[in-house]
Amino acid sequence: MTARSTRRPTAARTRLAAVGALAVAGTLLLTGCGDQTKDKNNGSGSAPNASAPLADKLPKEIRDKGVIRVGSDIAYAPVEFKDNSGKVVGLDPDLAAAMGKQLGVRFDFENGTFDALLTGIRSNRYDIAMSAMTDNKNRQEGIDPDTGKKVGEGVDFVDYLTAGVSIYTRKGDTGGITTWSDLCGKKLAVERGTVSEDLAKAEAKKCPSGKKLTIEAFDDDQQAQTRLRSGGADAASSDFPVAAYAVKTSGGGKDFQLVGDQVEAAPYGIAVGKKNTQLRDALQAALNAIIKSGEYQKILEKWGAEDGAVKESVINGGK
C-alpha cells in the first residue's frame, strides 16, 4: 500500500529481505477492509504506563486517554493482518507496540479501506494512519495524483521503513512479463489508491495502439490476489514485502511467483494531520528511541523487512 506522485518507474535493487527470511505465523486471511469497524490489536499494543520515558511529549488529550487511534487497512500481510485467532498482527502493530511502551499509550488499530484513511484523519476518525503508506509530496500536500488538483489538507509523515513495488503472476504462467512495459496488452490487478495503481496508469498511457493495459482496482490487496489466482488477471502488483509474503504463503507457495525487479523504492510513513505537530514529533521521538535501543531492528528481522531499515526517522522524507 504505497502510492502517489508522478514517479519514474525505474528498477530499484531489492530493499527487503528474501522471502525465505519471513518468520511469520498464520496465513493470509480474507479480512473485509471496507467495513470501517474497529479491530483491537488484542494485546499487541502496550497499556498506559506513567513511567514511559516519552509520555510527556504527547498532547495532553491523548496522554489522558491512553490511546492512539490508528486507521489501517488490516489485510496487508505481513505489514498488518489478522492471524488465525483474529488478532491483529504484523510489522506495523509490533512497531506501534514498541512505540507505545515509550509513550505510555496503547495503539488501537481500526480497520478501514486504504484509500479512505487520510480522509479519516481529516474527519478526526483516526489520530494517525499506519498502513504501509508511502510518504510522497502529493499526500503531504493533499494533491490528487490523477488530476493534479488539491482535494484536501495534506498530512505529515513520520518515516520508518523503505520499500519498493513488485509484480507477480501465477506460478509457471508469467505470460512473458518481466517489466512494467510487458503489461501492455495484459490485465493487472491492484489495490485501489496505491503506487501500484499509479504506476499502472502511467504505464497504460505508454502502451501502443491495440495493446491496452487493463487495470482492475480492488478495495484491498487480497481481492486482487483472488482475482489473479482465479485467472481473471494476468498479473498483480503490490509492495514488495506483501507480494513476497503472498508468493511465500498462498497455496503453500504454489500459487504465485515474483517477476522482474522492485521499482519505486520509497519511505513508508505514519500519517499525522498537519496541525497535530506535537503528536507527530512524539511519534518521531518514539521511533528514534526504539531504533537506538535495537528493538526496531529485531521487529524488522521478525517480519523479514530488515533490508528496509532506516537509521533515523525523519519527517516528510518522501519525494
Side-chain angles (χ1 to χ4, degrees):
M1 293 179 219
T2 50
R4 299 311 187 288
S5 76
T6 303
R7 288 203 187 118
R8 301 165 300 283
T10 53
R13 67 185 181 87
T14 298
R15 301 301 299 269
L16 296 174
V19 179
L22 291 171
V24 180
T27 59
L28 287 171
L29 301 176
L30 292 176
T31 57
C33 258
D35 59 7
Q36 300 292 327
T37 56
K38 181 174 289 189
D39 276 302
K40 299 295 186 181
N41 53 4
N42 298 321
S44 65
S46 61
N49 182 351
S51 65
L54 300 177
D56 61 350
K57 290 186 175 294
L58 285 170
K60 185 178 185 302
E61 179 184 359
I62 288 179
R63 190 166 65 245
D64 290 346
K65 290 181 179 178
V67 173
I68 293 176
R69 299 167 301 164
V70 185
S72 186
D73 170 15
I74 309 174
Y76 211 58
V79 186
E80 49 260 320
F81 64 110
K82 291 180 183 178
D83 66 11
N84 288 322
S85 70
K87 180 181 177 181
V88 179
V89 297
L91 174 68
D92 280 355
D94 280 0
L95 289 174
M99 288 189 291
K101 294 175 185 177
Q102 295 290 324
L103 296 167
V105 295
R106 183 179 69 250
F107 285 67
D108 278 353
F109 280 71
E110 300 184 25
N111 200 24
T113 51
F114 182 73
D115 60 355
L117 296 181
L118 297 187
T119 301
I121 291 177
R122 296 184 193 111
S123 66
N124 199 37
R125 179 181 180 88
Y126 314 124
D127 297 310
I128 65 175
M130 190 173 186
S131 193
M133 185 175 289
T134 296
D135 170 9
N136 57 51
K137 291 297 182 183
N138 281 337
R139 284 179 171 154
Q140 292 170 23
E141 298 171 4
I143 303 298
D144 185 312
D146 293 329
T147 65
K149 295 181 179 180
K150 191 171 181 65
V151 293
E153 185 179 52
V155 294
D156 285 335
F157 285 99
V158 182
D159 295 344
Y160 65 96
L161 190 77
T162 300
V165 179
S166 293
I167 301 170
Y168 57 103
T169 67
R170 289 183 297 280
K171 195 162 190 176
D173 184 19
T174 67
I177 299 169
T178 58
T179 68
W180 281 83
S181 60
D182 295 329
L183 292 170
C184 293
K186 308 288 187 181
K187 184 179 291 185
L188 179 71
V190 297
E191 180 175 1
R192 188 176 295 108
T194 62
V195 161
S196 293
E197 184 182 23
D198 292 340
L199 288 175
K201 288 178 178 178
E203 193 62 47
K205 295 177 182 178
K206 304 175 188 176
C207 290
S209 178
K211 294 194 69 176
K212 177 183 177 182
L213 166 54
T214 301
I215 305 165
E216 291 196 346
F218 296 89
D219 282 344
D220 66 60
D221 192 72
Q222 292 179 15
Q223 292 174 10
Q225 291 179 28
T226 299
R227 184 65 166 168
L228 175 61
R229 190 183 297 110
S230 68
D234 300 296
S237 175
S238 58
D239 291 0
F240 171 74
V242 177
Y245 186 81
V247 168
K248 174 72 174 179
T249 61
S250 183
K254 297 179 181 179
D255 287 347
F256 304 132
Q257 70 180 81
L258 290 167
V259 293
D261 297 321
Q262 286 187 68
V263 299
E264 298 297 295
Y268 280 176
I270 302 171
V272 187
K274 285 286 188 185
K275 297 177 181 178
N276 210 345
T277 56
Q278 187 177 357
L279 175 58
R280 178 199 68 191
D281 293 346
L283 293 171
Q284 183 189 28
L287 266 168
N288 282 328
I290 65 171
I291 290 171
K292 184 177 180 180
S293 73
E295 189 170 8
Y296 168 84
Q297 185 68 23
K298 291 178 181 178
I299 292 170
L300 265 59
E301 289 174 358
K302 173 183 175 181
W303 297 104
E306 60 267 32
D307 282 359
V310 298
K311 294 182 179 179
E312 182 181 22
S313 173
V314 300
I315 304 296
N316 295 334
K319 305 301 182 183

